[in-house]
Amino acid sequence: MKDESVDPCLAGYSDVGTKDREIHVNLAKNAIRVYTRTESGSTHVEFTDIIWGPVTKDMARNSGWCHLHKITVRLDGPTPSHGLLNFAVFCPRRQIGFHSDHHIVNGQKELIPGSSSAGCIRIPDARSKEFFDSIQVGDAVRLYEQSSFWRDPVFALGSTSVHCA
């Protein structure tokens, strides 16, 4: 039987232990954790009740569940084309990232309809600004699906797999 506590991705990461933050998206738990490195290990803040969709899962599966995607852009919004709030991109080629579950339509803040996302990860509006303020360009995002546990952060610079496949 496979030991799930052993991180199958570790060998593909470079410069382990050199970053200050790491963002984990656990699709099985519909939650995000923002880990911050400390002298004795790490602390984290958890954001729950996220919405994601099949594109997000496919992207994670296609990169072997191991790729560390980098935050490349942060825009507090509203974004020009969709009115998104607190938008942070981690797959620039496909414009996939994190944002509030609300957007601006005709000058008004409205809930984005649907229980599934086209590709981005929606965070409940009440905490989306807190999430947005806790991350920076260059932070690594790790997507996986584990119902029984969270992976330990590795605070690495990158990985060997294909970016946002």
Side-chain angles (χ1 to χ4, degrees), residues 26-86:
N26 190 332
L27 301 177
K29 294 182 178 291
N30 288 328
I32 300 167
R33 283 187 176 175
V34 177
Y35 289 94
T36 303
R37 189 165 57 125
T38 65
E39 286 185 21
S40 61
S42 68
T43 62
H44 70 269
V45 177
E46 190 167 321
F47 301 86
T48 59
D49 301 320
I50 63 171
I51 294 175
W52 53 274
V55 170
T56 311
K57 187 170 183 175
D58 288 346
M59 183 177 76
R61 182 185 304 115
N62 291 342
S63 65
W65 300 98
C66 289
H67 188 71
L68 287 173
H69 305 274
K70 301 291 184 190
I71 297 288
T72 58
V73 174
R74 289 176 70 243
L75 302 167
D76 57 2
T79 59
S81 58
H82 300 292
L84 300 175
L85 304 170
N86 304 321

